[in-house]
Amino acid sequence: MNRAATLLAVAVLSIGLRSQAQTVLPSAVATEPRLRLVPQTTASIIADLEESPDGTRLITHDRRFAPRLWDAKTFRLLRILGGAQDPITQVRFSRSGSTILTQGTEEIRTWDATRARLIARYPAPEGAFFVESQFSPDGTMIATGTS
């Protein structure tokens, strides 16, 4: 992998819920869309970008196994959130910004956003796959949609 980072201009906007989600989830509302330059250190296309509520961190992923946590001011890579056994399909910060959620089809993981350490793993129900996930407004629960 080339160590030189390429900068991408990406509009940070909220994304509506996917129609295949089986659980009714509140949709995030973007209050101030803004343009961010995001370092890309992968040959793959960045699939998701989420900005922490306080604007200090960014999390990206390219639909592979390890989302990346960045410092939003310096564009320094803080940590790679690895260890997933299935490709990551989405990443999210809790509203407080203290927790990160990474979702694959077979497992959801929560991470401490400050220390970038794994908090918990939640496997999909047997025979089902995760298609959507969202933190509750207070960040204490996760609503999921499966198929």
Side-chain angles (χ1 to χ4, degrees):
M1 180 183 328
N2 184 349
R3 288 182 169 244
T6 304
L7 294 180
L8 293 178
V10 180
V12 179
L13 302 170
S14 66
I15 299 171
L17 299 175
R18 294 186 195 128
S19 61
Q20 67 264 51
Q22 295 176 349
T23 305
V24 177
L25 306 171
S27 61
V29 177
T31 55
E32 295 181 27
R34 52 187 178 256
L35 193 63
R36 284 280 193 188
L37 293 177
V38 180
Q40 182 174 344
T41 58
T42 177
S44 299
I45 296 172
I46 291 178
D48 275 340
L49 166 73
E50 179 91 11
E51 182 179 26
S52 64
D54 64 3
T56 61
R57 293 174 312 280
L58 299 168
I59 188 159
T60 62
H61 83 87
D62 58 8
R63 302 256 184 242
R64 296 209 178 164
F65 300 93
R68 290 167 169 79
L69 183 63
W70 304 89
D71 180 292
K73 292 182 183 177
T74 65
F75 300 119
R76 189 184 71 165
L77 178 63
L78 300 173
R79 174 77 66 122
I80 295 174
L81 307 179
Q85 300 301 309
D86 61 328
I88 300 300
T89 56
Q90 70 179 340
V91 294
R92 298 187 185 280
F93 279 98
S94 63
R95 286 191 181 179
S96 68
S98 63
T99 308
I100 297 168
L101 178 146
T102 59
Q103 175 197 309
T105 56
E106 298 175 10
E107 182 178 65
I108 290 175
R109 291 174 171 219
T110 54
W111 303 81
D112 178 310
T114 304
R115 295 184 179 97
R117 300 204 184 217
L118 183 64
I119 297 170
R121 296 176 179 179
Y122 305 97
E126 190 170 329
F129 296 98
F130 289 119
V131 294
E132 185 64 50
S133 57
Q134 179 72 35
F135 281 106
S136 62
D138 65 1
T140 61
M141 294 185 284
I142 300 169
T144 64
T146 60
S147 65

